[in-house]
Amino acid sequence: MKSASRLIVGMFALIAAAPAFAGKHDFPNKPLRMMIAFAAGGSTDIGARIVASIAEKDFKQPIVVVNRGGAGGQVGWTELSRQRADGYSIGFINLPATNTVVLDPERKAIFKIEDFVPIINQVLDPGVVYVRADSPYKTMKDLIEAARKSPNTIRTATTGILSDDHLAILMVEESAPGSAFRIVHLAGGADQQRELLAGNIDVAFDNVGGWTPRVRAKEFRALAVLDPQRSKFLPDVPTMRELGYPKVVSNSTRGIAGPKGIPAPVVKHLETVFKKAMESPEHLEKLEAAGLTVRIMVGEEYAKYYRETHEKARHYTEWAKKRPHR
Amino acid sequence: MEAFQHLLTGFGHALSLEYLAYAFVGCTLGTLVGVLPGLGPAAGTAILIPLTFKLDPTGAIIMLAAIYYGAMYGGTITSVLINVPGEAASVITCIDGHAMAKQGRGGTALGIAAIGSFIGGIVATIALVVVAPPLARLGLLFGPPEFFALMVLGLSLVTGLAGRSLLAALLMTIIGLVLAMIGIDPVRGAPRFTFGVPELYDGVGFIPVVMGLFGISEILLMAESPAREVIKTKLTGLLPSREEWRSSLRAIWRGTGIGFALGLIPGIGSIIPTFMAYIAEKRLSKTPERFGQGAIEGVAAPETANNAYANAALIPFFTLGIPSSPTIAVLMGAFIINGLTPGPFLFQERPDLVWTVIASLFIGNVILLILNLPLVGLWARLLHIPYQYLCTGVLLFCVLGAYSLQQSVFDVWLMIVFGVIGYFFRKLDLPLAPLVLGLILGPFIEKSMRTSLEMSGGDFSIFATRPLCVTLLVAAVVVLAAAALRLVPARVREAESV
Amino acid sequence: MNVRHGLITAGAGLAGLSVMVMAVSVGYGMKDALGPGAGFFSFWLSLIGGLLSVGLLASAWRGTAPGELGASLFPKGDAARRCVAMLAAVVLAALLIEPLGYRLTAAALVAGLLYALEARGHVAIWLFAAAASFGVYHVFMNWLLVPLPGGALGF
C-alpha cells in the first residue's frame, strides 16, 4: 500500500476512534437491543414494540427491536442467553414456552432456566377454548362429555408442540378423567382460525389475544377461559373454575428478561423504567386495542412466578412426552 | 353494484394528496427494501412499523401495503442485473433474467417485468373487488391434505425444470429436500441434523443459501473470466421485438392466472407461484430450449405471477383475516397495533378504511409502473461499470445482505459455503433451480403430511377420501408418468444407435 | 482436473453423504404412533439420492453425462488469482466484521480487493471504498435503522 493511502486510513482511524475516548456515563449510554424470539407481526412482537416505543423516551436511548424467530422461540432464547450481561441486551421470554424448551430433553436446549434473570412481566394472556360458531358443542361440558364418549376423535388444535395450549389440553384431560382429545399441532392462532373455519379441526385451544373481535362477530364461540377470573375481553365466557375444574389454569405470559449476571442496579433501573412505561395510559390503551391483557409482575413476584411455572410445566411436559399420540 | 360505489368513494379518499404521498413513499421504500437482499419485505415492513405509529391508521396501512408489493419489484432488479435474488420470490427470475442481462438485454428484462407486474397486480386487485368473499371461501378448501398434494404436484413439476439431464435435476431436488430437513422436525418437535449448532435449529436460512448459490457463485465466475461474463453488446433497444411481445403477453396472462389462483390459498408463499408459472411457460412453449438462455417469457411469467400472487394474497387477509405470508402477518400486526382486526368484521365496521386501502392498491400498482419503467435504462447501465467495481460491489452487497438479515455472521458463512458449492455445481452443469425448489417445498410437504395424520389420527385414507386432494395427487402421478414416458423413446433410440 | 473428474468426485461424495444421512436418520426413528417418524423421509430420500449419485458417477465415467466434460474445473493463472482474491475477501469479511466493525472491514477489504483485481485509479478506489464503508454505514444506521457492528475500536 502506498504511504499516502496508509496516511488516509490512519486519519480515518483516529477520527472515528475519538468518541471512544469521550468517557462513559450512566446506563444506558448507547442503544438497547430487545430480542423477540418470534416473527414480526405476532402478538409478542406487537406488545414488545409498543412498550419499547414508550420506554425509549425515558431511557433517552433508542431500543432496537430485533426479531430472531424460529424453532418455537428456541433460536431467539438461545441467542439471548449468550448475550453480554451488561443490560444492553434484553429480550422477551414467554412462559411456559421457554420452560418447555428447557424441559424437553429432545430439544437439546443449551440454556437452563437459571440462565435468565427475569426483569418484568408485561402480558398474561389466559388460555381459551374456541369452537366455530355453528359447532355442536355449545358449552365446555358438551365438549368434555363428547371427549369422554368418543376419546381421541375430537380434533383439537394447539399452536405448537409443547405450547401452553398443548399443556392446557393435558390439564383438561387430567381434570376430567376418561376424556381424550385428538391433538393437532398447528403453527399459530391464524392457522387455527383458518382450519376451524374450514372444518378441518373441531376445537382450538389458544389465548384471548387475536380472537376477540371475531368472537364478537359471531364467527367463533369461546367455551371457557382457563384463568381464575373472567377475561374483560370475553365477559360472558365462564372460567374453568366456575365450571368445576379449578386446577385447569393455563396462560401464556410475555415478559422481559436478560442473560444472567446483569448487575443488580442495572436490573433495578430497567424494572423502574419499563414499569412506568407499562403503566402509562398509552401502553394500556394500545395493548387493550390489540386484545392483550396487561399483568405487570416485577421483582420477587415475577421471580416466584417464574419458578412456579417451571415446576408446573415440568409435570405436563413429562406426561406429553410419554403420551402416544402427542 | 354496491362494491363499485364503495370503490369510487375509496378512490375519492385515496387520491387525496396525503394518501397519494404515502403510497408513493411506500412504493419507493418497498423497491429499495426489495433491492437490498438482507431486508426483504418482512423485515423491511417490520422496520417501518414504528414509522407508521405517527400516521393515522389508513395512511399507515396504505404505506405498508405499498412497501409490500413494491418490494416484490425491487427483488427483480437485483435478480436480473447481478443474479442475486433480492428476496425469495425473485429466485427464478435470475435464471432467464440474468441471462438476458448478460446479452445486453437487461433493460428489456426489467421492462417486461415491470409491465407484467403491473398487469398481474391490477387484474388481481380487480378480482379482489369483484369476487373477494365467495372466492376467498374457495381457498378454505385447501386443508393440510390438499397442501400436501399440491406440494407433491409442485415437486413433480421439477421434471419440467430439468435441462439436459433428468438425473441431475432429480438429484439436486433431493439434495434440496434433505437440506430442508435440517432443523426442528414436525414429529417430535426436536432438532434434526443440527449437530449441536443452535443457529441451525430453524433450518438453513433460505436467503443466505440462495444468495450464495446464485450471487456468490456469479461473482466468482465473473472474477474468473471477466471477458466472457461481462456484456459485450451495447445496450440495444429497450423494447422487446414484436415476436417477443406476443409470447410475453401470453406468458403474462398465464402468469396472472396462476399467481392469482395460488394467492387465494392461504399460506402458500410467494415462491411457489413463480416456479409454477415458469415451469408452465416452459412446458407450453414450442421452443423450451430457449429457457435458461434468456427467454423473455422466462422473466414475464414469474414476475407477473409474483405480483398477481401478492395482490391476490390480500384477499384471504381482508376477507377472512388470514395472513398468507410472514409479510402479510406483519401487515396484520400493523392493523392490530392500530386497533383494527382484519376480517369480514372490518368490511362491515370500517368500509371507508377498507375501500380506501383497496383503491390505493390500484394507485400503488400504477405508481410502481411509473416509478420503475423510466429507471430501467438507468439500472441496466449499472452493468457497464468496470468489472472490478461490479464484483467488489456485489460482494459487499451480498455480505451486507446476509449479515443484516439477523445481524448474524453465521448467515454470512452459510452464504460463503453455498457460494463455493454453487460455483462448482455450475461448472459441473448441475442445475440449481431444482435444489431451490426442493429446499422450499421440503418443509411444507413433511409438515402438511404430519398435520394431516394428526387430524386423521394416523389414518392414511384421509389422502384418498378428500376429492381435491385426490385430484391433485392424480395430477402429480400423471405429470411424473408423462415425464417417464418421454424418457423411454430416448432410451430406445440410444440403445438402437449403439 | 476437468469436469468429468469433478462429476465423478461429486457423485462419490454425495453417495457417501447419503449413507451418513441414512445412518443418522435411523437414529431419529422411522416410525411413530401416527405414521412416518422423524427419520423416515430423510432415510428414503437419501437412499434415492445415493442411487442417483452413483448414477451420476457412472454417467460421468462412461462419458455420457451432458456438458463439456473436458473443460477445466479449476481456474488457472491470473483467473485463479482473482478468484482466490474474491474468496479471501468474503472470508475475511465474515471473520472481521464483528470484531473490527463494519466500517473498517469494508474499507480495507473493498480497497484491497480492487487492488487485487487490478482496478485503475487510486482516487477512484479509495472514494469507492469510503462510500462502501462509511457511506453505507451511515445509510443503514440512520436511514434504514438496521444496525451494523461497531467493532472493538468503537467503530
Side-chain angles (χ1 to χ4, degrees):
Chain A
M1 236 195 322
K2 291 253 198 81
S3 51
S5 327
R6 241 182 286 191
L7 191 61
I8 296 176
V9 173
M11 272 168 49
F12 269 133
L14 266 178
I15 296 171
F21 295 117
K24 292 204 181 294
H25 31 104
D26 274 347
F27 174 90
N29 60 3
K30 57 178 172 131
L32 294 146
R33 213 161 153 241
M34 184 184 274
M35 216 170 289
I36 315 243
F38 296 99
S43 58
T44 311
D45 182 67
I46 293 174
R49 286 178 191 273
I50 294 176
V51 78
S53 69
I54 300 174
E56 280 184 325
K57 306 188 194 126
D58 267 330
F59 280 125
K60 303 214 189 5
Q61 288 284 343
I63 302 182
V64 179
V65 175
V66 172
N67 294 87
R68 200 64 83 97
Q74 189 167 356
V75 174
W77 295 321
T78 307
E79 198 47 42
L80 183 62
S81 68
R82 290 157 143 188
Q83 296 301 304
R84 230 184 296 173
D86 53 9
Y88 287 97
S89 297
I90 50 179
F92 264 77
I93 54 171
N94 303 54
L95 310 175
T98 316
N99 305 100
T100 56
V101 168
V102 170
L103 289 166
D104 180 2
E106 287 191 295
R107 285 295 206 120
K108 300 203 175 62
I110 64 165
F111 53 89
K112 299 182 290 308
I113 209 65
E114 304 80 43
D115 289 328
F116 295 116
V117 52
I119 299 173
I120 180 171
N121 190 60
Q122 180 197 30
V123 167
L124 187 145
D125 206 355
V128 180
V129 182
Y130 297 102
V131 291
R132 208 166 68 181
D134 58 357
S135 160
Y137 312 119
K138 304 266 184 296
T139 65
M140 195 66 197
K141 190 152 145 303
D142 292 342
L143 182 63
I144 295 181
E145 273 312 303
R148 275 208 185 99
K149 248 197 297 182
S150 6
N152 278 313
T153 54
I154 303 179
R155 297 163 306 178
T156 316
T158 70
T159 55
I161 302 182
L162 292 178
S163 58
D164 60 301
D165 328 300
H166 186 183
L167 303 185
I169 299 178
L170 297 178
M171 280 184 217
V172 172
E173 287 185 352
E174 193 185 42
S175 293
S179 64
F181 296 92
R182 185 187 287 183
I183 301 183
V184 180
H185 297 292
L186 296 177
D191 255 16
Q192 289 178 326
Q193 288 175 2
R194 180 180 81 225
E195 303 301 352
L196 209 51
L197 280 178
N200 289 319
I201 55 164
D202 309 303
V203 184
F205 274 62
D206 193 13
N207 307 91
V208 173
W211 291 76
T212 321
R214 310 190 70 168
V215 171
R216 262 191 261 127
K218 305 260 191 300
E219 285 188 82
F220 301 113
R221 186 187 312 140
L223 296 180
V225 171
L226 280 51
D227 197 56
Q229 62 216 61
R230 289 201 176 192
S231 163
K232 70 168 173 209
F233 295 104
L234 300 165
D236 305 322
V237 179
T239 67
M240 285 303 271
R241 168 189 282 183
E242 289 171 40
L243 296 170
Y245 304 97
K247 275 182 69 190
V248 181
V249 172
S250 168
N251 52 50
S252 170
T253 60
R254 294 89 191 254
I256 303 177
K260 80 162 176 246
I262 302 183
V266 175
V267 174
K268 204 77 190 92
H269 187 59
L270 288 165
E271 279 181 12
T272 320
V273 174
F274 276 113
K275 182 157 185 281
K276 181 155 167 264
M278 289 182 193
E279 288 172 337
S280 71
E282 185 192 347
H283 179 258
L284 294 170
E285 205 185 285
K286 284 218 162 99
L287 256 74
E288 168 144 357
L292 297 172
T293 319
V294 177
R295 183 86 61 94
I296 302 173
M297 282 188 273
V298 77
E300 183 51 36
E301 190 193 356
Y302 191 28
K304 181 157 163 284
Y305 182 82
Y306 190 70
R307 290 189 298 266
E308 285 174 353
T309 314
H310 195 70
E311 285 317 306
K312 185 167 166 193
R314 186 192 302 271
H315 167 61
Y316 292 105
T317 309
E318 281 167 6
W319 179 11
K321 302 298 284 184
K322 283 195 252 127
R323 198 172 182 276
H325 289 213
R326 274 189 259 144
Chain B
M1 253 210 290
E2 215 191 292
F4 278 116
Q5 243 183 322
H6 282 282
L7 186 61
L8 284 171
T9 330
F11 265 112
H13 293 158
L15 284 170
S16 76
L17 215 58
E18 195 191 349
Y19 290 157
L20 264 180
Y22 291 149
F24 187 80
V25 169
C27 283
T28 317
L29 279 175
T31 312
L32 203 71
V33 159
V35 167
L36 297 167
L39 295 184
T45 334
I47 291 168
L48 298 160
I49 282 189
L51 275 181
T52 63
F53 279 161
K54 315 203 174 99
L55 311 168
D56 76 290
T58 317
I61 288 163
I62 289 181
M63 185 146 101
L64 285 173
I67 295 172
Y68 164 61
Y69 48 80
M72 292 284 169
Y73 187 70
T76 311
I77 299 179
T78 53
S79 299
V80 167
L81 294 182
I82 56 179
N83 208 41
V84 176
E87 32 98 38
S90 331
V91 170
I92 204 138
T93 315
C94 288
I95 301 176
D96 279 275
H98 190 61
M100 282 180 77
K102 292 215 278 244
Q103 294 161 7
R105 314 200 56 218
T108 318
L110 288 176
I112 205 76
I115 295 172
S117 298
F118 174 72
I119 296 180
I122 292 281
V123 170
T125 314
I126 294 178
L128 169 66
V129 172
V130 174
V131 290
L135 223 55
R137 295 259 144 192
L138 264 186
L140 284 182
L141 286 176
F142 273 80
E146 286 72 26
F147 245 89
F148 172 75
L150 185 63
M151 298 299 135
V152 170
L153 179 60
L155 258 193
S156 71
L157 292 174
V158 81
T159 53
L161 271 181
R164 288 165 291 175
S165 170
L166 188 60
L167 185 143
L170 288 176
L171 179 58
M172 298 300 277
T173 315
I174 290 194
I175 294 178
L177 285 171
V178 174
L179 270 177
M181 302 210 153
I182 300 177
I184 301 268
D185 74 71
V187 176
R188 312 161 302 156
R192 194 169 44 173
F193 298 117
T194 55
F195 303 116
V197 179
E199 285 90 347
L200 287 177
Y201 279 1
D202 202 35
V204 286
F206 182 75
I207 300 258
V209 166
V210 152
M211 278 172 60
L213 283 176
F214 286 84
I216 300 280
S217 69
E218 183 66 30
I219 59 177
L220 285 174
L221 286 169
M222 206 193 296
E224 186 181 345
S225 24
R228 187 169 48 137
E229 293 284 322
V230 160
I231 318 101
K232 289 171 290 187
T233 54
K234 288 201 302 236
L235 214 61
T236 47
L238 276 180
L239 296 174
S241 70
R242 176 152 301 162
E243 181 54 53
E244 289 184 316
W245 265 121
R246 245 183 283 141
S247 40
S248 302
L249 278 174
R250 280 195 293 262
I252 288 176
W253 292 128
R254 283 194 277 261
T256 309
I258 294 178
F260 180 76
L262 292 175
L264 292 174
I265 305 173
I268 220 185
S270 52
I271 314 177
I272 293 169
T274 56
F275 266 83
M276 292 212 175
Y278 182 86
I279 295 174
E281 209 49 46
K282 186 172 175 187
R283 276 304 184 83
L284 293 167
S285 163
K286 299 196 185 59
T287 49
E289 335 64 64
R290 284 182 307 118
F291 282 75
Q293 324 296 331
I296 200 168
E297 305 95 305
V299 176
E303 283 303 313
T304 314
N306 201 352
N307 266 63
Y309 169 82
N311 283 276
L314 291 172
I315 294 181
F317 174 62
F318 276 130
T319 55
L320 298 173
I322 297 172
S324 281
S325 68
T327 319
I328 302 188
V330 173
L331 201 56
M332 183 147 145
F335 268 75
I336 296 180
I337 287 184
N338 283 290
L340 307 154
T341 313
F345 206 44
L346 198 65
F347 261 100
Q348 291 159 352
E349 277 248 301
R350 300 283 310 271
D352 55 315
L353 179 134
V354 176
W355 287 106
T356 311
V357 173
I358 294 179
S360 87
L361 285 179
F362 280 104
I363 298 174
N365 274 296
V366 174
I367 293 179
L368 263 183
L369 191 69
I370 298 175
L371 257 184
N372 289 310
L373 262 187
L375 292 177
V376 151
L378 206 78
W379 286 119
R381 240 167 264 274
L382 208 64
L383 287 186
H384 284 256
I385 69 180
Y387 87 94
Q388 295 95 341
Y389 288 92
L390 192 61
C391 273
T392 312
V394 173
L395 188 141
L396 190 72
F397 188 68
C398 288
V399 170
L400 260 179
Y403 182 81
S404 50
L405 269 175
Q406 300 187 102
Q407 281 95 57
S408 157
V409 187
F410 184 80
D411 287 336
V412 183
W413 286 117
L414 203 60
M415 179 180 73
I416 296 175
V417 167
F418 277 92
V420 175
I421 293 177
Y423 170 80
F424 284 113
F425 275 178
R426 286 172 76 169
K427 286 215 146 170
L428 294 174
D429 218 9
L430 294 172
L432 293 175
L435 195 155
V436 175
L437 191 66
L439 191 59
I440 301 163
L441 294 184
F444 274 117
I445 296 188
E446 210 191 351
K447 180 76 174 98
S448 44
M449 170 180 258
R450 178 72 192 178
T451 312
S452 308
L453 288 174
E454 284 173 357
M455 272 167 56
S456 69
D459 187 0
F460 272 88
S461 67
I462 190 173
F463 296 109
T465 50
R466 292 168 67 117
L468 189 51
C469 180
V470 172
T471 318
L472 291 168
L473 284 174
V474 166
V477 170
V478 166
V479 170
L480 286 171
L485 281 174
R486 262 182 297 126
L487 279 179
V488 171
R491 284 279 157 78
V492 171
R493 263 184 270 126
E494 214 184 280
E496 287 184 335
S497 69
V498 160
Chain C
M1 190 147 175
N2 60 25
V3 169
R4 180 169 163 269
H5 297 137
L7 281 172
I8 293 174
T9 318
L14 286 168
L17 215 61
S18 316
V19 172
M20 285 202 290
V21 171
M22 278 164 58
V24 176
S25 305
V26 176
Y28 290 136
M30 299 287 277
K31 271 175 81 65
D32 172 81
L34 288 176
F40 181 83
F41 283 112
S42 48
F43 180 84
W44 290 104
L45 280 174
S46 46
L47 180 63
I48 301 174
L51 292 170
L52 287 173
S53 337
V54 171
L56 185 70
L57 197 158
S59 74
W61 192 280
R62 286 186 304 167
T64 55
E68 277 182 68
L69 293 183
S72 164
L73 189 63
F74 291 106
K76 303 221 178 5
D78 270 350
R81 197 173 45 82
R82 287 192 295 262
C83 277
V84 169
M86 302 278 328
L87 205 54
V90 76
V91 167
L92 281 171
L95 284 170
L96 296 173
I97 195 173
E98 281 191 334
L100 220 55
Y102 172 77
R103 286 170 288 186
L104 276 185
T105 315
L109 288 176
V110 166
L113 191 57
L114 283 171
Y115 278 112
L117 293 175
E118 293 158 349
R120 306 279 180 78
H122 296 292
V123 177
I125 291 181
W126 283 104
L127 245 106
F128 191 73
S133 52
F134 289 82
V136 167
Y137 185 84
H138 184 82
V139 168
F140 266 67
M141 288 296 268
N142 299 316
W143 299 354
L144 294 173
L145 304 175
V146 177
L148 289 173
L153 291 172
F155 77 129

